[in-house]
Amino acid sequence: MRNMGGEQVEEAVASAVALLRTATERDWETTPAGRLEWTCRYTAEHVAGDLIAYAGQLAGRATKAYVPFEITLDEGTGNEDVLQVIETTGALLAATLRTTPREVRAFHPYPYRSANREGFAALGVAEVFLHTHDIAAGLGLAYEAPAGLCADVLARIFPHVQPGADPWRTLLWATGRGDLPGRAPVTEWRWRNNLVVPAERLTLQGVTPAAATDLAAGGDGGFAWVEGGPFQGTRDAAGMLLKAYGAGVHRPEWGVFVLVRGEDGRAVGGMGFHGPPDEDGRVEIGYDLVEAARGNGYATEGLRALSAWALEREEVTSVFATTDPDNTASQAVIVRAGFARVAGEDSGSAEGAEGAEQFAYELRG
């Protein structure tokens, strides 16, 4: 899987600073930064502040709020010096990303109150790209961020945005900085880090389009799996997620989750929804578990946690699950999770994707 980490932050900072160094003799103090109400100078200082803040969140393992500090530049600091500060804070974030374990999450408000190291890396890269665009627009400079890195950002913190042929223009559109043919202008937007649902021994970690791309292609999706993982069902679900993402209908909270053990950070299975709730408020859930992890109650624990999360949503009235009649182990998992068998019109069964008879179960709030 193509990582998002220190190297990418350094790449973003280098591309930005190289351009802005060509205009350090210009007036940054009074020139507005593109469509922002900020000046070019304030915007540059803001970039440095964001980079060090993200490093502080991860290094300090802050989980409830932002660490209460900010960066202050010395009086008389010139434009060239500001760029040096951006390089320095970028290097600090890059170093923090390289030394932060994968399972560490720190506070970030949007939208689920936390982000992992890949999320903070994507946030840092996006801040650099977008605000360099703003400063460049104010100073009359031409700037184009690297397309591949823009696509990586979109696939991690803009999972709800349909990808476009031009990732840089798509990122600008998604943040209200440009237009895209056939799409309405964006006037309000937020980052979207992945959702994590806690369980007793597990966390259910939302799969981003970036991770789904790797899983569907036979990779690990950025997770450390137990022997034999991931199961084919998880790869198939990742492929369905990618289809929804490409069509612009992916709703991340109703997507795919990987079950990760708290004791060692190992992924043991996949679980997720077949799509958002229907008009009656019913949402269907499915799961699989790596063979080496079966028999430990992980599927039951994960199913309880994710079903409970779903039923807390206002738009959900029930959670639905199906299983093959001969899959007694799966039936036991569903029943232990609190589901009740529901009868079909005649036989108490439902039809699967290929028309095969299946047993149906439902859990109501």
Side-chain angles (χ1 to χ4, degrees):
M1 177 179 174
R2 178 184 166 102
N3 292 325
M4 175 71 77
E7 181 179 343
Q8 287 67 39
V9 170
E10 290 168 341
E11 179 185 344
V13 168
S15 75
V17 168
L19 173 71
L20 297 179
R21 277 213 166 98
T22 66
T24 53
E25 300 304 316
R26 304 275 294 278
D27 174 18
W28 292 20
E29 291 281 358
T30 63
T31 303
R35 301 183 183 183
L36 302 182
E37 296 180 357
W38 301 343
T39 66
C40 291
R41 172 57 180 259
Y42 181 86
T43 305
E45 293 180 9
H46 172 80
V47 171
D50 280 338
L51 294 173
I52 194 64
Y54 294 156
Q57 291 303 98
L58 285 173
R61 305 295 196 262
T63 59
K64 298 184 182 300
Y66 281 117
V67 178
F69 78 101
E70 61 182 30
I71 190 170
T72 302
L73 275 62
D74 292 342
E75 186 176 348
T77 299
N79 295 338
E80 172 61 36
D81 298 323
V82 174
L83 295 181
Q84 183 181 12
V85 175
I86 291 175
E87 289 177 317
T88 301
T89 53
L92 289 170
L93 176 56
T96 304
L97 292 167
R98 291 189 174 104
T99 56
T100 299
R102 188 200 175 281
E103 289 304 301
V104 168
R105 297 188 73 86
F107 174 82
H108 188 275
Y110 305 123
Y112 303 116
R113 315 298 285 177
S114 71
N116 62 10
R117 66 187 185 192
E118 285 223 339
F120 278 109
L123 290 165
V125 170
E127 292 282 3
V128 171
F129 283 168
L130 294 171
H131 288 315
T132 299
H133 163 82
D134 298 331
I135 298 169
L139 298 175
L141 303 173
Y143 176 66
E144 180 121 1
L149 203 42
C150 290
D152 288 343
V153 167
L154 288 165
R156 284 172 173 82
I157 56 174
F158 290 91
H160 55 297
V161 171
Q162 183 178 18
D166 186 329
W168 175 227
R169 301 286 175 260
T170 302
L171 182 59
L172 292 177
W173 169 81
T175 56
R177 289 172 168 81
D179 299 319
L180 276 184
R183 301 197 196 185
V186 172
T187 56
E188 295 183 3
W189 62 275
R190 292 291 190 193
W191 323 109
R192 291 186 67 92
N193 281 292
N194 66 322
L195 170 64
V196 173
V197 177
E200 296 176 18
R201 297 169 296 166
L202 308 168
T203 56
L204 283 72
Q205 302 183 15
V207 172
T208 65
T213 299
D214 189 62
L215 283 167
D220 57 19
F223 297 90
W225 291 84
V226 296
E227 184 180 356
F231 200 69
Q232 185 59 43
T234 299
R235 298 195 188 281
D236 294 341
M240 296 302 295
L241 186 158
L242 289 177
K243 289 182 180 179
Y245 176 58
V249 297
H250 176 48
R251 292 179 58 184
E253 64 271 31
W254 302 111
V256 182
F257 297 79
V258 167
L259 281 61
V260 179
R261 284 194 308 221
E263 66 182 51
D264 58 4
R266 293 280 175 175
V268 298
M271 186 171 292
F273 302 103
H274 292 199
D278 63 20
E279 59 185 12
D280 295 321
R282 188 174 77 165
V283 63
E284 186 171 357
I285 197 169
Y287 61 90
D288 61 42
L289 213 63
V290 180
E291 288 189 19
R294 294 175 186 174
N296 296 289
Y298 295 140
T300 300
E301 182 179 324
L303 189 56
R304 284 175 180 156
L306 194 56
S307 298
W309 178 88
L311 288 169
E312 290 173 356
R313 311 279 78 76
E314 186 176 324
E315 66 267 40
V316 175
T317 58
S318 66
V319 182
F320 184 74
T322 63
T323 185
D324 294 333
D326 60 353
N327 192 343
T328 56
S330 182
Q331 293 164 31
V333 166
I334 295 172
V335 171
R336 283 197 299 269
F339 285 68
R341 177 102 178 263
V342 293
E345 292 182 0
D346 298 311
S347 61
S349 63
E351 285 193 355
E354 298 179 357
E357 184 181 68
Q358 294 196 313
F359 287 169
Y361 296 81
E362 190 174 43
L363 178 65
R364 289 185 170 271

